[in-house]
Amino acid sequence: GKTHASFSVMDTLRFPLGILSGIGFIGAGAIVRKGKFVAGVTTAATLWLITVVGLILGAGYLGTGAAVVAIAFVVLAALKKIEPLIFTEHRGDLRIESDAQCIRNDAIEDVIHAHKYKIVSAGIAQGERQVLCYSLIWHSSTGPEKIPEIVTILAARDGVLNIEWKPFHAGSELE
């Protein structure tokens, strides 16, 4: 019952749906998860939002498109200011080298716990020197690149010959 000309009629909603689905797929590829750390969510959301803005502007709604762009800039600028204030989980390794039997393991652990660090794993090596190794987790609004106060406190203890601090930067280590 359709005429030959009726096959040239296009459903105009198929274009935006295809574009949004494709960009959503690309955005999903921008999201990376390593353990508890998730990165790229803002990038994926911004890609999708800019695609929507392009469709709005392409449809001729210039005022609406300009308003969405303005709102997006305000939200992204606010998120950039708020993000450093959010407490996030950080990880790091602490290695303490001392004279043999000079430092008690439980005394070091008391200092670690007193400074709000959680010990994930601990190891000890005995020999001419005693080596204590700890993997730590802590929550802070500052990044892991700043040397924590606990390193200075432990380095000042009698018998400590060497102390090493190795922070894990978010996403740098697979869990």
Side-chain angles (χ1 to χ4, degrees), residues 37-38 47 55 66 84 89 94 120 128 130 134-135 137 144 158-159 162:
F37 179 74
V38 179
L47 276 170
L55 291 170
E89 182 178 279
L94 180 64
V120 178
E128 290 179 23
Q130 178 182 7
Y134 298 97
S135 289
I137 293 178
D158 288 335
N162 188 28

Side-chain angles (χ1 to χ4, degrees), residues 73-88:
F73 274 119
V74 169
V75 169
L76 290 172
L79 286 175
K80 190 172 185 178
K81 299 275 189 209
I82 292 170
E83 187 178 21
L85 304 175
I86 297 172
F87 275 69
T88 57

Side-chain angles (χ1 to χ4, degrees), residues 21-89:
S21 296
I23 292 298
F25 185 76
I26 292 170
I31 300 173
V32 177
R33 179 176 182 262
K34 290 184 181 178
K36 291 183 180 180
F37 179 74
V38 179
V41 175
T42 305
T43 302
T46 305
L47 276 170
W48 195 81
L49 176 68
I50 296 306
T51 303
V52 170
V53 168
L55 291 170
I56 290 170
L57 294 174
Y61 297 103
L62 301 179
T64 304
V68 171
V69 168
I71 292 169
F73 274 119
V74 169
V75 169
L76 290 172
L79 286 175
K80 190 172 185 178
K81 299 275 189 209
I82 292 170
E83 187 178 21
L85 304 175
I86 297 172
F87 275 69
T88 57
E89 182 178 279

Side-chain angles (χ1 to χ4, degrees), residues 65-155:
V68 171
V69 168
I71 292 169
F73 274 119
V74 169
V75 169
L76 290 172
L79 286 175
K80 190 172 185 178
K81 299 275 189 209
I82 292 170
E83 187 178 21
L85 304 175
I86 297 172
F87 275 69
T88 57
E89 182 178 279
H90 303 286
R91 292 176 177 259
D93 281 342
L94 180 64
R95 184 178 180 273
I96 303 167
E97 190 175 329
S98 68
D99 292 329
Q101 302 297 329
C102 190
I103 295 181
R104 290 186 0 256
N105 190 19
D106 57 343
I108 297 295
E109 290 181 8
D110 289 343
V111 172
I112 291 171
H113 291 300
H115 284 83
K116 307 282 192 252
Y117 289 82
K118 180 182 174 188
I119 298 172
V120 178
S121 65
I124 187 168
Q126 297 284 4
E128 290 179 23
R129 293 184 177 182
Q130 178 182 7
V131 179
L132 302 169
C133 297
Y134 298 97
S135 289
L136 306 176
I137 293 178
W138 74 101
H139 291 83
S140 171
S141 62
T142 60
E145 56 278 343
K146 182 182 175 192
I147 296 175
E149 179 185 8
I150 193 170
V151 173
T152 308
I153 292 169
L154 291 171

